[in-house]
Amino acid sequence: LNVAWELDLTGFAFDEIIGIRALPNGDLLLSGATSLNEVAGELLLLRLDSTGNLLWEQVLEGVDAETLRAMNDTQNGDLLVLSALSSADLGHAPFVHRIDSFSNVLWAIELPTAPHDANWGIFERGDSAIEIYGSVDGTIDDHAVWSLQVSSDGVEIVDPTAE
């Protein structure tokens, strides 16, 4: 086994690494929980190039605890980050950030509170709308799901199940 490169994370305020995602261009995105600003549960993102050089870091601040639920790329290289703000007041509030390739937060939106759930996902559809979904935990039907759509600019939220 040959190690191409390694990264010392002691200079970063990770409390724990949650995930590593390879992006289509070979970059890596590390995500983890941090208490960087003395608020437990903020989300820290690091983007590295394919040789391990830091391109950028971004802290997404939450309320009480922010948990990464899903990430996905858009057609133009932006990053969609779906997280959950968990607190006594909010329950599980899904939150979406759209971040460009330079770490700028283009927009952020809090979605209607989701039920306690298991699996969440996010993706950009062919028409550039963003689809967010999750499965409902603890229901009679183990396959119950919820779904929301957000416009590509983060302005409009559509519940496809609402009549």
Side-chain angles (χ1 to χ4, degrees), residues 9 32 41 47 49 52 54 57 59 73 77 81 83 94 96 101 108 112 114 125-126 132 138 152:
L9 294 174
R47 187 170 184 156
D49 68 15
L54 177 67
E57 65 181 295
V59 175
D73 308 75
V81 179
S83 59
V96 177
S101 60
R125 300 182 337 187
I132 299 134
S152 62

Side-chain angles (χ1 to χ4, degrees), residues 6-163:
E6 62 182 74
L7 178 66
D8 181 3
L9 294 174
T10 53
F12 300 98
F14 278 118
D15 293 335
E16 70 176 303
I17 299 282
I18 297 170
I20 299 174
R21 178 178 172 87
L23 300 175
N25 69 350
D27 290 353
L28 295 175
L29 189 70
L30 279 65
S31 58
T34 183
S35 52
L36 190 62
N37 296 323
E38 298 180 15
V39 177
E42 294 171 325
L43 193 59
L44 176 62
L45 301 174
L46 298 179
R47 187 170 184 156
L48 310 173
D49 68 15
S50 60
T51 60
N53 296 308
L54 177 67
L55 298 175
W56 55 257
E57 65 181 295
Q58 179 65 262
V59 175
L60 304 178
E61 297 179 6
V63 178
D64 284 350
E66 185 154 4
T67 308
L68 177 70
R69 295 302 184 113
M71 288 186 294
N72 217 330
D73 308 75
T74 64
Q75 297 167 27
N76 70 351
D78 291 347
L79 181 67
L80 299 172
V81 179
L82 175 61
S83 59
L85 303 176
S86 298
S87 74
D89 297 333
L90 293 175
H92 291 286
F95 211 85
V96 177
H97 290 82
R98 186 173 188 142
I99 302 171
D100 70 13
S101 60
F102 302 103
S103 85
N104 299 309
V105 176
L106 301 175
W107 53 261
I109 186 170
E110 184 178 342
L111 303 173
T113 301
H116 292 278
D117 46 59
N119 301 304
W120 291 16
I122 187 168
F123 66 94
E124 183 181 42
R125 300 182 337 187
D127 61 0
S128 296
I130 298 162
E131 186 86 22
I132 299 134
Y133 59 91
S135 61
V136 180
D137 198 13
T139 60
I140 295 172
D141 179 3
D142 289 337
H143 303 289
V145 296
W146 57 268
S147 174
L148 292 171
Q149 296 168 11
V150 177
S151 60
S152 62
D153 59 5
V155 173
E156 184 180 2
I157 299 173
V158 178
D159 181 350
T161 60
E163 310 238 346

